[in-house]
Amino acid sequence: EADIYQTPRYLVIGTGKKITLECSQTMGHDKMYWYQQDPGMELHLIHYSYGVNSTEKGDLSSESTVSRIRTEHFPLTLESARPSHTSQYLCASRPLWDSNTGELFFGEGSRLTVL
Amino acid sequence: AQTVTQSQPEMSVQEAETVTLSCTYDTSESDYYLFWYKQPPSRQMILVIRQEAYKQQNATENRFSVNFQKAAKSFSLKISDSQLGDAAMYFCAYTGNQFYFGTGTSLTVIP
């Protein structure tokens, strides 16, 4: 079982609230990712990081932001949540040296519902 | 651009039978990796099997095997002797510099 953890697992909040989804991994991986996953849809990359102080936007436009101050920690923040942000958010990581060949390790996901 | 297509949104199989999940991809790269991931309900996505494009031999992991047709850009997953625990969403994925996922196939195992 991969050592990558996401909290909270489930969150229901009202519109306009600020939320932070936490993601931590204990494997020392340099590359970390955030995916958005809707039912019956593929995973959409919204943010990624290649290491400390490195953050990039993914293919899917997102109003969220991320930070990477420590290798093991990659939180995602929504400043003002809206119903359109309702989705499952998956965090993943893989080592830099294995970046094009290695598997992604996933957290259990954070399911967000915005009312 | 790389794309991954899974044309079967849902599949079902009788316990102990064999099922094949389809996946096609598009790429202009010659060296890449392909994966099948399994996502059980409310649980972590985990790797099922990996195939290196430069290897002609199809990957096998216990009851899971792939049929990799590089020229046809096809990468199907065969599950033999299906078990109840195989019920999950299965995602085909391609990786070069980034990961690209298909839309998934929901597999139901009928007792």
Side-chain angles (χ1 to χ4, degrees), chain A residues 50-62:
Chain A
Y50 288 168
V52 172
N53 294 326
S54 155
T55 60
E56 302 287 346
K57 288 188 180 293
D59 303 322
L60 182 68
S61 175
S62 174

Side-chain angles (χ1 to χ4, degrees), chain B residues 66-102:
Chain B
V66 299
N67 183 5
F68 173 49
Q69 303 289 329
K70 190 172 184 179
K73 296 180 181 174
S74 170
F75 182 59
S76 61
L77 174 69
K78 186 172 80 171
I79 306 174
S80 304
D81 186 25
S82 297
Q83 300 174 0
L84 294 177
D86 295 333
M89 281 289 289
Y90 286 82
F91 290 91
C92 178
Y94 162 103
T95 183
N97 190 35
Q98 295 287 4
F99 259 79
Y100 298 90
F101 289 88

Side-chain angles (χ1 to χ4, degrees), chain B residues 42-60:
Chain B
S42 301
R43 293 187 62 188
Q44 268 172 322
M45 182 111 62
I46 57 172
L47 178 68
V48 174
I49 199 165
R50 173 171 63 184
Q51 174 76 41
E52 298 159 41
Y54 65 87
K55 287 188 176 179
Q56 292 186 335
Q57 186 173 6
N58 290 324
T60 299

Side-chain angles (χ1 to χ4, degrees), chain A residues 12-93:
Chain A
V12 181
I13 61 169
T15 296
K17 299 290 187 184
K18 177 181 178 179
I19 63 132
T20 296
L21 304 180
E22 303 286 351
C23 176
S24 295
Q25 50 93 7
T26 59
M27 298 172 283
H29 288 171
D30 297 289
K31 285 190 166 185
M32 295 190 73
Y33 305 81
W34 276 104
Y35 288 89
Q36 185 172 337
Q37 182 186 26
D38 294 316
M41 303 286 287
E42 70 244 55
L43 281 68
H44 291 287
L45 180 65
I46 50 176
H47 295 284
Y48 61 98
S49 167
Y50 288 168
V52 172
N53 294 326
S54 155
T55 60
E56 302 287 346
K57 288 188 180 293
D59 303 322
L60 182 68
S61 175
S62 174
E63 294 162 345
S64 58
T65 58
V66 292
S67 63
R68 190 86 182 276
I69 299 172
R70 301 197 315 267
T71 297
E72 62 271 21
H73 197 211
F74 190 43
L76 180 145
T77 299
L78 278 166
E79 290 293 334
S80 179
R82 295 206 297 270
S84 60
H85 295 139
T86 294
S87 188
Q88 170 150 268
Y89 294 85
L90 297 178
C91 182
S93 72

Side-chain angles (χ1 to χ4, degrees), chain A residues 37 42 94 100-101 104 106, chain B residues 37 39 44 50 96 99 102:
Chain A
Q37 182 186 26
E42 70 244 55
R94 61 176 173 173
N100 287 356
T101 65
L104 277 178
F106 284 88
Chain B
Y37 277 87
Q39 186 179 36
Q44 268 172 322
R50 173 171 63 184
F99 259 79

